[in-house]
Amino acid sequence: MKALSKPKTATIYEVARHAGVSIATVSRALRDSDLVTESTRARVRAAVEALSYTPNQLGRSLAEGRHAANGIVFPDLTGPYYAEVVLGYEEAASELGRSVLILATHGRRDAEAAVLDLAGRVDGLAVMGNTVGDDTVRSIAATGVPLVLLARPPVDGVDTIRTRNERTAAELAAHLLAHGHRRIVFVGDPEAAPDMAGRYAGLAKTMRAHGLPRPDCRPCSYDVEAGERIGAELMADPPDAVVCANDEVALGVHLAAEAAGRSVPHDLAVTGWDDVLAARFAGLTTVSQPMRELGATAARWLDGRIAERTAGPERATPRRRVLPTQLVVRRSCGSHPVETPNPLGGTA
Amino acid sequence: MKALSKPKTATIYEVARHAGVSIATVSRALRDSDLVTESTRARVRAAVEALSYTPNQLGRSLAEGRHAANGIVFPDLTGPYYAEVVLGYEEAASELGRSVLILATHGRRDAEAAVLDLAGRVDGLAVMGNTVGDDTVRSIAATGVPLVLLARPPVDGVDTIRTRNERTAAELAAHLLAHGHRRIVFVGDPEAAPDMAGRYAGLAKTMRAHGLPRPDCRPCSYDVEAGERIGAELMADPPDAVVCANDEVALGVHLAAEAAGRSVPHDLAVTGWDDVLAARFAGLTTVSQPMRELGATAARWLDGRIAERTAGPERATPRRRVLPTQLVVRRSCGSHPVETPNPLGGTA
DNA sequence: CGTGGAAATGAAAGCGCTTTCAAAGCCGAA
DNA sequence: TTCGGCTTTGAAAGCGCTTTCATTTCCACG
């Protein structure tokens, strides 16, 4: 009850007074449709119009006992990866009549607190990748807010959706091996995220199956600059192929190779992951993932969980899903292009 | 008051009972710090812990008379443009202690209603580009919710932030003219958005200043495919240069030109707008915009407006700001590259 | 005209929290 | 021991809305 001068926007009471009815009638006129006379509804509408009344959703939500909003937590929004997921999530949520609250953790120290706070503002929450630890996830789950983890290691009793990493990485590795590449380096940190671990595992397993040693590993952050740096280091003794954790890194490695006078794919092959737009123009072999669908699925699962929760407290078994990913072969791995062959290659 | 079986998450009442104090004390223990004995606070904390209590933000916000949340409305999130703006907005808002609600209108019919609804859930709202009409903007403004328009034509009495279009487009045109290009086509729809109108205007003005006719105009949507289509049409009688509304379209035109056996920039120049990552790898001349800053500025302005509003109802004069943009010359316009010369050009 | 039942409306009780105001508890000084 | 003044706590009034339940109104029919 701040004693500040009130910039009051109209409330339901003023509308009621203005229309000469009770607040109950205003409420009904604004929703129930068929419980109110047409003439009354008209009066209410006129009052609403006259006062520029917009219902305060806080009051409404509190009375209804639901936020009518979902949250999503992601590390960042640079690059299309998370943006697409968020978009798919928003689209699905909004069709289900829920607003979407976003929270980007960046590298914030207080991320855990921010996520906990967010959990108190929503009916359901999606948590992506490297944002908060398992403890926080468990805390949220304990509050009873339905939760879905995305592209993140599962936590007991919590729903999880991921994209396929290991198998497609194995496919990619097989492809590279089939083209004669033997010395392959992985750029990325298998320790950092389970997605990365899966990609490395797929690569390593396939190489072992071919009697080759475990591939080298160069941890780094996931942007173009990091790729350029690692790429430059690698150029001292170039491997046959560089398998990168994502497209940004791969593009960086690509740049570094060219800068060192090495030609991709002639001198070495480079591959990425995510299939960003730039990958297409750089002719980068990569893996495309159903990111939009990842987000949309999360929103729908949450909706289901929220409904269950309202219906009864019997805790269902956690769901798991792995969405398929697809290898996109372009010229950067030195093989028969299957898509947009050499799009801008003629450019001098 | 749904009569459904309650999946109740703990309320302040239970915490109070569990700790043997009143709800007022619990509330204070959780915030005011210095109005509560240390021992009492400890008891409350223990109860909170034991019950996995998370304050319901609805109740809190309703009591405080603020949502502690801001909204942002944008058409889409594909491509880095809006994503970056949203990110900047989120970052700034979150520093100011506000959550962020997003709303993507896509091409939705009911966008206006959705935006109005959103307006009732936030303390301040940013509205970007082609999402809702002036009428809706005025309705929102009338409800008293602080509002900022982004990259959108101004509306009376409402704050607006834009990026510079006309002047930088003129610069771009001058650059092209200086390199001998005379017949220039604009791909984009000046009618569709004020940003586009500005870009076209800058181009047209400069050409007129050089005694050249008003450039042709090819309206289209703003994705790679549309660019390819228009590009293919243009290849029947290629102009000297194609100035595109954004990078995606320019990349499409680029592809179409190559597909038709024309070389960029030798046979024709192509330019874009936005400086997406792919532009760098396609060697595309473009214009970079401070998108993050656009979003961050909006968040900060809103915070200011919200504070003013709380302080008193005297309506300040609307603010306007135009953020500078920067021409990024690469090889696609046939001129002296100033950045990443021909990054992957050597690739066969 | 009177009556019963359906339809429309209003009164009031919350939803979970913050905050004011008053009461209670505590301390040292008299 | 008692009293004044400060600190800590509790009771209760909202915040803006929905919804139950009771009341009123309106008709068609007898």
Side-chain angles (χ1 to χ4, degrees):
Chain A
M1 254 134 302
K2 311 270 182 190
L4 298 164
S5 75
K6 309 166 192 175
K8 289 192 71 65
T9 108
T11 73
I12 199 173
Y13 287 92
E14 281 123 62
V15 176
R17 179 142 22 89
H18 194 282
V21 297
S22 74
I23 60 165
T25 300
V26 173
S27 177
R28 283 190 280 252
L30 264 34
R31 15 190 42 253
D32 287 329
S33 292
D34 50 340
L35 216 42
V36 124
T37 305
E38 201 44 55
S39 73
T40 307
R41 183 191 314 284
R43 286 219 311 291
V44 170
R45 269 207 278 259
V48 165
E49 187 73 18
L51 299 170
S52 295
Y53 170 71
T54 319
N56 179 324
Q57 298 288 346
L58 284 178
R60 177 170 288 189
S61 291
L62 188 55
E64 286 178 338
R66 48 170 265 169
H67 297 266
N70 280 6
I72 182 165
V73 182
F74 46 84
D76 203 343
L77 216 52
T78 54
Y81 185 89
Y82 297 113
E84 285 284 316
V85 176
V86 171
L87 198 57
Y89 187 78
E90 195 275 346
E91 201 159 7
S94 128
E95 266 164 30
L96 296 166
R98 307 182 175 284
S99 301
V100 171
L101 279 148
I102 60 171
L103 176 62
T105 55
H106 304 98
R108 287 166 33 177
R109 285 254 147 266
D110 61 336
E112 318 256 330
V115 174
L116 253 326
D117 176 277
L118 179 62
R121 302 171 166 272
V122 296
D123 297 322
L125 190 58
V127 176
M128 285 204 77
N130 261 323
T131 47
V132 294
D134 288 7
D135 288 349
T136 306
V137 169
R138 269 185 276 266
S139 305
I140 301 168
T143 68
V145 178
L147 197 56
V148 173
L149 304 179
L150 299 179
R152 188 193 183 292
V155 168
D156 274 1
V158 181
D159 295 348
T160 305
I161 311 176
R162 311 215 258 169
T163 53
R164 177 168 299 146
N165 285 296
E166 186 165 335
R167 198 193 303 179
T168 305
E171 242 177 79
L172 173 62
H175 187 93
L176 291 172
L177 291 171
H179 285 75
H181 302 300
R182 285 295 171 273
R183 205 157 74 81
I184 300 180
V185 172
F186 181 80
V187 180
D189 188 357
E191 312 283 313
D195 275 343
M196 301 308 161
R199 292 171 201 175
Y200 180 71
L203 173 63
K205 183 183 282 183
T206 302
M207 289 185 69
R208 199 182 50 212
H210 283 248
L212 294 167
R214 198 167 183 70
D216 269 357
C217 204
R218 311 291 295 248
C220 73
S221 59
Y222 300 121
D223 48 46
V224 175
E225 289 65 36
E228 283 188 270
R229 192 160 20 77
I230 302 283
E233 291 172 24
L234 288 174
M235 286 312 109
D237 175 24
D240 296 338
V242 183
V243 171
C244 302
N246 74 4
D247 285 349
E248 278 82 2
V249 172
L251 291 167
V253 170
H254 204 315
L255 286 175
E258 301 285 339
R262 313 275 176 178
S263 150
V264 175
H266 187 263
D267 296 330
L268 80 166
V270 175
T271 71
W273 203 283
D274 287 353
D275 196 18
V276 307
L277 184 63
R280 178 172 168 193
F281 289 89
L284 184 67
T285 288
T286 184
V287 175
S288 84
Q289 310 186 75
M291 305 181 280
R292 215 116 151 176
E293 197 186 328
L294 188 66
T297 305
R300 283 192 281 266
W301 280 20
L302 282 175
D303 196 63
R305 288 300 193 196
I306 294 164
E308 287 169 17
R309 210 175 85 102
T310 312
E314 67 303 331
R315 202 79 188 135
T317 55
R319 300 170 76 177
R320 295 281 146 83
R321 179 116 98 211
V322 176
L323 299 178
T325 55
Q326 188 168 20
L327 185 59
V328 177
V329 176
R330 297 205 181 91
R331 66 178 193 283
S332 76
C333 60
S335 39
H336 350 282
V338 296
E339 193 204 73
T340 56
N342 203 357
L344 304 180
T347 305
Chain B
M1 256 136 297
K2 312 270 182 190
L4 298 164
S5 76
K6 309 166 193 175
K8 288 191 73 65
T9 108
T11 73
I12 198 173
Y13 286 92
E14 280 124 62
V15 176
R17 179 141 24 90
H18 194 283
V21 297
S22 73
I23 61 165
T25 300
V26 173
S27 177
R28 283 190 280 252
L30 263 35
R31 15 191 44 254
D32 287 328
S33 293
D34 50 338
L35 216 42
V36 124
T37 305
E38 201 45 53
S39 73
T40 307
R41 183 189 314 285
R43 284 218 313 291
V44 170
R45 269 207 276 259
V48 164
E49 188 73 19
L51 300 170
S52 294
Y53 169 71
T54 319
N56 179 325
Q57 297 288 345
L58 285 177
R60 176 170 289 189
S61 290
L62 188 56
E64 285 178 339
R66 49 169 268 170
H67 297 266
N70 280 4
I72 183 166
V73 182
F74 46 85
D76 204 344
L77 217 52
T78 54
Y81 185 90
Y82 296 113
E84 284 285 314
V85 176
V86 171
L87 198 56
Y89 187 79
E90 196 275 344
E91 201 159 6
S94 126
E95 266 164 27
L96 295 164
R98 305 181 177 286
S99 302
V100 172
L101 280 149
I102 59 172
L103 175 63
T105 55
H106 305 97
R108 286 166 35 176
R109 286 253 148 267
D110 61 337
E112 317 256 329
V115 174
L116 253 326
D117 176 276
L118 179 61
R121 300 172 168 272
V122 297
D123 297 323
L125 190 58
V127 175
M128 286 206 75
N130 262 325
T131 47
V132 293
D134 288 6
D135 288 350
T136 306
V137 169
R138 268 186 278 266
S139 305
I140 301 167
T143 67
V145 177
L147 197 56
V148 174
L149 304 179
L150 299 179
R152 187 194 184 290
V155 169
D156 275 2
V158 180
D159 296 348
T160 305
I161 310 176
R162 311 215 259 170
T163 53
R164 178 168 297 147
N165 284 295
E166 186 166 333
R167 197 192 304 179
T168 305
E171 240 177 81
L172 172 61
H175 189 92
L176 292 171
L177 290 170
H179 285 74
H181 303 300
R182 285 296 171 269
R183 205 157 74 78
I184 301 180
V185 172
F186 180 80
V187 180
D189 188 357
E191 313 281 313
D195 276 343
M196 300 310 161
R199 293 171 201 176
Y200 181 71
L203 173 62
K205 184 184 281 182
T206 302
M207 290 184 69
R208 201 181 51 212
H210 283 247
L212 293 167
R214 198 167 182 70
D216 269 357
C217 205
R218 311 291 295 249
C220 72
S221 59
Y222 300 121
D223 48 47
V224 176
E225 289 65 35
E228 283 187 271
R229 193 160 17 78
I230 303 281
E233 290 171 27
L234 288 173
M235 286 313 108
D237 175 23
D240 296 338
V242 182
V243 171
C244 301
N246 73 6
D247 284 349
E248 278 82 2
V249 172
L251 291 168
V253 169
H254 205 315
L255 286 175
E258 301 285 339
R262 312 274 176 179
S263 149
V264 175
H266 188 261
D267 296 329
L268 80 165
V270 176
T271 71
W273 203 284
D274 288 352
D275 196 19
V276 306
L277 183 63
R280 178 171 169 193
F281 289 90
L284 184 68
T285 290
T286 185
V287 174
S288 84
Q289 308 187 79
M291 304 179 282
R292 215 116 151 175
E293 196 187 330
L294 189 67
T297 306
R300 282 191 282 265
W301 280 20
L302 282 175
D303 196 63
R305 289 299 195 198
I306 294 164
E308 287 170 17
R309 209 174 85 103
T310 312
E314 70 294 338
R315 202 78 188 134
T317 55
R319 299 170 76 177
R320 295 280 146 82
R321 178 115 98 213
V322 176
L323 299 177
T325 55
Q326 188 166 17
L327 185 59
V328 178
V329 176
R330 298 203 181 92
R331 67 180 193 281
S332 78
C333 61
S335 40
H336 350 280
V338 297
E339 192 203 71
T340 56
N342 204 358
L344 303 181
T347 305

